[in-house]
Amino acid sequence: MQLKQWMLASFLTLGITLPSFAASPFIGINTNESTHFDASLPFVDLFKTSEPFRESSLTKGTIQVDNLGWVRSLNGGQAGTYFIRWMPYEALPKGQYTVRYQGKGVVTYQEDVKVIKHEPNQDIIELVPNASNEINAGLVITQSDPKDPIRNIQITMPGGICQGNPFKAVQGAAACGGKAYLSFAEHSAEVLFNPDYLNFMKQFKTIRFMNMSGITRNEIQSWQQMPNVAQATWGGKEGKRGVPLEVMIQMANTLNANAWFNIPHRANDQLVQQYAALVAANLRPTLKAYIEYTNEAWNEAFSQAKYVRQMGMQQGLGKDPIMAGINYYGKRSKQIFQLFEQAFGGKQRLVRVIGGWSGRPDLTPYFLKPDNVYEHTDVFAIAPYFYAHQNELMQAQTVNDVFALINDPKNPYGIDATLKQAQKHAELIAPYKVRMVAYEGGQHLVHYGTKSRKEHPNPLLSQANRDPRMGQAYTQLLQGFKQAGGQLFVAFSSPRPHAFFGFWGMKEHILQPDNQAPKLQALQRF
């Protein structure tokens, strides 16, 4: 089935009624990476975000997989994957999960999985929390017939939906009042999205798909390398994972939300043209498509920064690598914008994004000047984050100390300084007649020297993110950003647990009560 037909068939089968909630156009949200530990749990089929067999520690021996990632031959070994790991038990729907697959062989389970019933090509399982009240759940293929191998595995959540209402999970046909009942087990091909996830995301009018698309450190160049709906999993390591474009479009359509897309840094023109054509043909015509070339092209922690600097130097766009990279970024952005304008037959449905360097307002004009890219640009995007110096975080002894740091007007990374920086960006972009938005933003409290949630200062930072004063900090940030001229604030990020590498989620998991999430409450109140 062609992609457009697949998307249309999925939508018509569901008979979706668009959500009628009131969403503030000022607040958007970033998605999470497609991983087996994403506590936002976007898909009803948990296998969609499982580890690829070749990446999992549960795989033993030298297995062979096909071009979609399904096991072709075990070669005397075993093929395993964690489909859930380090997941708060409270995040998951309660009840019995259905495992289905095709082929001949033996499927077993690891860790926090209890088999309730076994039938040919189907198991009914429950997920039982461990001593940490988390779920680690693995699936292992121990035998597989090479002539008819185990494949097309799906692990679906309990229940289903009533046709036309993807935002509410029900446990059976009796709840549908005469409408068709679509169980997740029977209809996971067209009922893709976890209703709990949709209910969270529908609060936001703009969805930034950067993380979900998997572009970070991803060397993809051609359209043929793009994520495929038929792949065994859309999960995996950074630089390899990614959700198919058509799935992200379908999500935006379901949510009736503007879609913010990030183009891979190595993408050739053919990829961009196919990408633009698919979005133009399938995104609801009432919705805007935000288009941004890569993500943080200035950030040398990412391979995309190294790439644009290399290309800029090769093309003689500057003697300094940083400036050469900025010039190449602007030049390539303009080319991409023009390809999208051709596919869309104009710019009316597009929001063309140049991503800036928040900490370097002095460079802002240089992002907009190359090849007069500002003439094809609608918004200049920054990331207004507030935090404190690493040494000062280590010296903090109480949660009060943490808030004293971020509220200190002398802190060069505090809320006041962040808002002054935003004001400076707004002044510098004014001559170019583009609007200012935030592609990310919020608290950025993280200590990069730690490797555990228990190490100091992480317990304090975790408590600070649960403290009502963090909600007040977000309100101050939002108000100040809007007063500085900000038109859109895309928060970072969707629900995810606290970790030593950051406390990014607006909630700690998808089912955490809103009244326990001060950052989310601040967004809701704004």
Side-chain angles (χ1 to χ4, degrees):
M1 183 181 290
Q2 294 180 347
L3 296 181
K4 185 176 179 182
Q5 292 175 323
W6 173 83
M7 294 179 67
L8 182 60
S10 297
F11 229 69
L12 292 178
T13 300
L14 292 176
I16 288 175
T17 300
L18 294 180
S20 58
F21 56 88
S24 167
F26 184 74
I27 304 291
I29 192 75
N30 275 272
T31 55
N32 289 342
E33 301 86 347
S34 180
T35 66
H36 55 301
F37 49 86
D38 175 16
S40 67
L41 292 164
F43 305 113
V44 299
D45 180 359
L46 299 181
F47 205 83
K48 292 296 186 187
T49 52
S50 63
E51 296 177 302
F53 289 113
R54 279 185 166 173
E55 293 182 10
S56 179
S57 62
L58 296 177
T59 292
K60 309 298 181 185
T62 307
I63 65 170
Q64 290 182 335
V65 298
D66 63 20
N67 62 342
L68 294 175
W70 297 115
V71 175
R72 181 176 291 166
S73 175
L74 293 176
N75 289 329
Q78 68 179 37
T81 174
Y82 280 101
F83 57 92
I84 286 289
R85 203 165 195 191
W86 310 302
M87 186 67 63
Y89 178 60
E90 295 88 351
L92 290 154
K94 305 305 179 283
Q96 297 181 347
Y97 290 68
T98 302
V99 182
R100 290 183 175 178
Y101 52 89
Q102 295 176 335
K104 298 176 182 177
V106 176
V107 171
T108 63
Y109 303 92
Q110 295 283 324
E111 299 198 41
D112 306 322
V113 180
K114 179 181 179 181
V115 178
I116 304 300
K117 185 178 182 181
H118 173 72
E119 297 175 333
N121 297 97
Q122 176 173 291
D123 293 327
I124 305 299
I125 63 172
E126 286 184 355
L127 303 177
V128 182
N130 57 29
S132 300
N133 204 36
E134 294 180 340
I135 296 292
N136 296 307
L139 178 149
V140 179
I141 303 172
T142 59
Q143 297 178 36
S144 184
D145 184 346
K147 296 181 180 179
D148 188 13
I150 299 291
R151 63 195 184 279
N152 296 338
I153 302 169
Q154 64 179 48
I155 305 174
T156 48
M157 292 177 174
I161 64 169
C162 301
Q163 189 169 32
N165 186 5
F167 297 89
K168 182 179 181 180
V170 297
Q171 294 306 309
C176 292
K179 291 186 177 180
Y181 170 64
L182 305 176
S183 71
F184 297 141
E186 295 287 347
H187 297 275
S188 65
E190 64 265 24
V191 184
L192 292 178
F193 307 117
N194 176 5
D196 294 326
Y197 181 76
L198 292 180
N199 269 309
F200 174 82
M201 299 297 281
K202 76 180 184 181
Q203 302 174 86
F204 307 100
K205 189 57 181 171
T206 299
I207 312 297
R208 188 168 183 255
F209 287 105
M210 184 275 294
N211 274 331
M212 184 174 279
S213 67
I215 65 154
T216 300
R217 300 187 178 93
N218 196 321
E219 303 304 310
I220 187 172
Q221 298 181 51
S222 69
W223 180 250
Q224 291 71 26
Q225 296 172 307
M226 288 282 284
N228 188 324
V229 171
Q231 283 175 280
T233 174
W234 304 328
K237 295 179 179 178
E238 188 176 63
K240 302 294 183 183
R241 61 188 173 227
V243 170
L245 174 58
E246 50 269 42
V247 173
M248 296 186 289
I249 296 172
Q250 185 173 341
M251 184 184 296
N253 286 342
T254 303
L255 294 167
N256 198 31
N258 299 322
W260 185 319
F261 300 111
N262 296 73
I263 307 302
H265 63 276
R266 287 183 177 268
N268 61 27
D269 283 356
Q270 185 243 4
L271 185 156
V272 177
Q273 288 167 337
Q274 295 280 0
Y275 199 118
L278 191 68
V279 176
N282 290 284
L283 186 68
R284 288 184 179 275
T286 55
L287 300 176
K288 296 284 189 180
Y290 285 69
I291 307 302
E292 179 186 8
Y293 173 44
T294 190
N295 171 62
E296 295 189 352
W298 50 268
N299 190 342
E300 60 185 0
F302 298 134
S303 61
Q304 50 263 39
K306 298 173 184 176
Y307 174 79
V308 298
R309 291 177 186 182
Q310 179 185 22
M311 294 299 293
M313 294 296 286
Q314 286 180 2
Q315 296 183 16
L317 300 179
K319 295 181 180 180
D320 172 71
I322 292 178
M323 293 308 302
I326 290 173
N327 288 332
Y328 178 79
Y329 171 74
K331 177 182 176 181
R332 185 58 179 153
S333 292
K334 179 179 176 180
Q335 294 168 351
I336 289 170
F337 296 158
Q338 289 175 322
L339 291 172
F340 268 85
E341 289 163 16
Q342 292 170 14
F344 275 74
K347 59 184 181 180
Q348 291 78 11
R349 294 174 60 197
L350 298 173
V351 180
R352 300 157 298 176
V353 182
I354 287 291
W357 189 343
S358 287
R360 293 289 306 272
D362 57 303
L363 294 178
T364 289
Y366 297 98
F367 279 93
L368 293 164
K369 287 179 179 179
D371 210 16
N372 292 332
V373 66
Y374 70 90
E375 295 177 350
H376 290 263
T377 300
D378 300 297
V379 299
F380 184 80
I382 61 173
Y385 281 113
F386 59 86
Y387 53 105
H389 192 276
Q390 300 284 281
N391 293 338
E392 292 180 322
L393 288 178
M394 285 299 290
Q395 293 169 12
Q397 297 299 312
T398 67
V399 176
N400 289 341
D401 293 341
V402 175
F403 282 102
L405 287 171
I406 63 176
N407 289 316
D408 184 354
K410 296 181 181 179
N411 174 7
Y413 314 109
I415 299 173
D416 287 348
T418 298
L419 292 175
K420 288 178 182 176
Q421 211 169 60
Q423 181 63 52
K424 185 64 175 178
H425 282 288
E427 293 169 0
L428 290 168
I429 68 174
Y432 299 94
K433 302 293 190 289
V434 297
R435 293 168 284 143
M436 183 173 69
V437 302
Y439 66 87
E440 294 174 13
Q443 64 78 36
H444 200 295
L445 296 171
V446 56
H447 195 283
Y448 295 106
T450 64
K451 298 297 180 184
S452 164
R453 286 180 292 185
K454 296 179 180 179
E455 285 185 64
H456 181 79
N458 289 333
L460 295 182
L461 304 185
S462 180
Q463 292 175 47
N465 272 271
R466 294 168 178 159
D467 193 291
R469 287 173 289 181
M470 185 59 75
Q472 296 167 11
Y474 266 65
T475 297
Q476 182 182 348
L477 179 70
L478 292 168
Q479 290 175 341
F481 185 68
K482 189 169 186 179
Q483 289 170 3
Q487 301 292 304
L488 170 68
F489 186 96
V490 185
F492 193 92
S493 68
S494 299
R496 63 172 81 198
H498 290 179
F500 68 86
F501 46 83
F503 309 85
W504 307 110
M506 293 301 101
K507 298 204 294 185
E508 294 176 49
H509 60 79
I510 195 66
L511 291 180
Q512 183 184 31
D514 289 0
N515 61 12
Q516 297 177 14
K519 292 181 289 190
L520 176 63
Q521 287 183 303
L523 300 184
Q524 291 170 334
R525 285 193 300 263
F526 190 76

